Amino acid sequence: MSSPCLSSVLTNANLAMYQTGLSDGVSAGGLPSIIPLQNSNLNGGHWYRQANPENWTAEHVLEWISNHVERNQLDASTLSLTYCAMDGHALCHMGQDQMTATFGPDLGPHLYQSLQEHKTKYELQNLSAPELNETCQLLDNFLDNLNFPLLSTIKIGQAEETINKKEFILQDDDCLMSLSLEAMDCTGYHSDNQCDSEFSVSTNGGMFSYMNQSSPESGSSESDPEFSYPPISKMHIKTEDKECRVKRPRGRPPKVSREHNSGLYSISKKNKHAPRGTHLWEFIRDILIHPEKNQGLMKWEDRREGVFKFLKSEAVAQMWGQKKKNSSMTYEKLSRAMRYYYKREILERVDGRRLVYKFGKNSSGWKIEEVGMSL
DNA sequence: GAACCTTTTCCTGCTT
DNA sequence: TAAGCAGGAAAAGGTT
């Protein structure tokens, strides 16, 4: 009896997972629902990347393998399907030789390397607050030692603000992961693209390391591109108790180029010409005029006058950040943008009332007549 | 490619 | 004291 073509099985399995919402922000198969919707784009919907490989379900394993098959353009038709029933626990107990025997000499080493990286990444993501603090400091020192040009764009300050919040680590991994990924991005400093690097961070909770040994001839890296840390010089980092903060320059930090980006920190590519109608005030207006989408975020104080109030200011800011693919959006930043509307008379000041704003004469689409016409 | 526009980010000082 | 407000400054990135 012949096995069905693996690639079609994988494709169908993926499709099924998408259809059941696994890749759409819905917790499934015991996967802890620690990742908010706002981050759903960051990983292209591959939820297994956020979970402990030990806890991967068979579906996660299948999706993970499928990604590697597609990415490396391997012929999957000759592979055994026995691993279809394999979950993360079983996978984690396989050695490199076993994986090579199971998945073949092409795919096996790729998968083994990727799995080790997933394990390390998961451990890093789940550091406790003191460990994270210490790790930030280590990375800070590391970047100082490198004299890394992107240092100024790294959001260590944000980590400091929320360092004691466990949910920060789980829900918003900007700090740790962007530090890791941007810090490793040394392209341009190694013109020969020679890869022979080691990066290690030791904390009270253990030691985490990344080693990369490949050459330009062997391709970009033997490891999974989603963790493909570009080369750095070998170094050792010593820890000290010190405040974890780097002063950032004013202004918006530059986006990390897609080329040097990796899965966790990547954002979906925006259309070069984003459609109009995505302004902040329009976003606010739309929340107000669609009560079904409002969910107690904002309310009208005086509908006729266009006076409204934020009820859940941070939640609205998060939604705005989600829309703009900016997970670090806060009400403070949003409100600064709102204040710019005063000059343009899109909004008017409402003195003495916190979280209260008023639409100005240059705004539109919120008046009862207008809304009535459009409905 | 430049100019302009709209945020985004950081900051200091003030008010509630 | 914390949270919010006000607005300057600088920068990114999209639009024209």
Side-chain angles (χ1 to χ4, degrees), chain A residues 80 82-83 86 89-105 107-109 111-112:
Chain A
S80 163
T82 53
Y83 58 77
M86 188 189 297
H89 180 76
L91 195 68
C92 287
H93 286 81
M94 289 177 82
Q96 185 164 8
D97 291 345
Q98 269 180 291
M99 287 184 95
T100 303
T102 306
F103 301 110
L107 187 58
L111 293 178
Y112 182 78

Side-chain angles (χ1 to χ4, degrees), chain A residues 197-241:
Chain A
S197 56
E198 175 181 323
F199 169 66
S200 60
V201 176
S202 46
T203 73
N204 292 337
M207 176 157 169
F208 306 94
S209 63
Y210 175 79
M211 278 170 278
N212 182 15
Q213 285 165 335
S214 64
S215 62
E217 292 75 28
S218 68
S220 58
S221 167
E222 289 188 358
S223 55
D224 187 331
E226 67 193 283
F227 299 116
S228 60
Y229 303 153
I232 57 174
S233 38
K234 190 166 186 168
M235 64 184 306
H236 297 278
I237 303 162
K238 187 86 181 128
T239 177
E240 265 176 47
D241 282 332

Side-chain angles (χ1 to χ4, degrees), chain A residues 166-184:
Chain A
K166 185 66 176 173
E167 70 265 23
F168 171 78
I169 301 168
L170 298 174
Q171 293 188 349
D172 185 345
D173 50 12
D174 258 1
C175 165
L176 200 52
M177 298 319 296
S178 67
L179 271 173
S180 306
L181 299 169
E182 291 185 21
M184 301 305 142

Side-chain angles (χ1 to χ4, degrees), chain A residues 111-276:
Chain A
L111 293 178
Y112 182 78
Q113 178 75 26
S114 171
L115 185 65
Q116 302 316 307
E117 289 166 355
H118 273 290
K119 284 180 184 173
T120 302
K121 188 210 76 176
Y122 181 80
E123 286 165 350
L124 270 170
Q125 269 189 297
N126 288 276
L127 292 177
S128 66
E131 289 163 357
L132 178 61
N133 194 12
E134 193 174 357
T135 304
C136 281
Q137 180 57 50
L138 290 165
L139 288 164
D140 186 359
N141 293 343
F142 164 62
L143 294 169
D144 279 345
N145 289 338
L146 267 184
N147 193 22
F148 190 68
L150 283 179
L151 177 64
S152 61
T153 72
I154 291 166
K155 301 174 183 176
I156 295 177
Q158 185 188 353
E160 184 208 19
E161 288 171 14
T162 50
I163 200 90
N164 293 319
K165 295 180 182 174
K166 185 66 176 173
E167 70 265 23
F168 171 78
I169 301 168
L170 298 174
Q171 293 188 349
D172 185 345
D173 50 12
D174 258 1
C175 165
L176 200 52
M177 298 319 296
S178 67
L179 271 173
S180 306
L181 299 169
E182 291 185 21
M184 301 305 142
D185 189 347
C186 299
T187 305
Y189 292 84
H190 297 256
S191 55
D192 59 359
N193 201 28
Q194 183 70 36
C195 302
D196 179 6
S197 56
E198 175 181 323
F199 169 66
S200 60
V201 176
S202 46
T203 73
N204 292 337
M207 176 157 169
F208 306 94
S209 63
Y210 175 79
M211 278 170 278
N212 182 15
Q213 285 165 335
S214 64
S215 62
E217 292 75 28
S218 68
S220 58
S221 167
E222 289 188 358
S223 55
D224 187 331
E226 67 193 283
F227 299 116
S228 60
Y229 303 153
I232 57 174
S233 38
K234 190 166 186 168
M235 64 184 306
H236 297 278
I237 303 162
K238 187 86 181 128
T239 177
E240 265 176 47
D241 282 332
K242 205 169 80 179
E243 201 183 354
C244 172
R245 183 179 179 86
V246 169
K247 209 168 187 176
R248 297 183 60 186
R250 285 177 173 168
R252 183 189 291 186
K255 281 185 177 176
V256 178
S257 76
R258 199 172 172 80
E259 190 183 346
H260 302 150
N261 216 344
S262 63
L264 258 171
Y265 193 58
S266 69
I267 56 176
S268 60
K269 195 175 183 178
K270 261 187 182 173
N271 287 337
K272 195 176 180 184
H273 297 287
R276 282 277 186 189

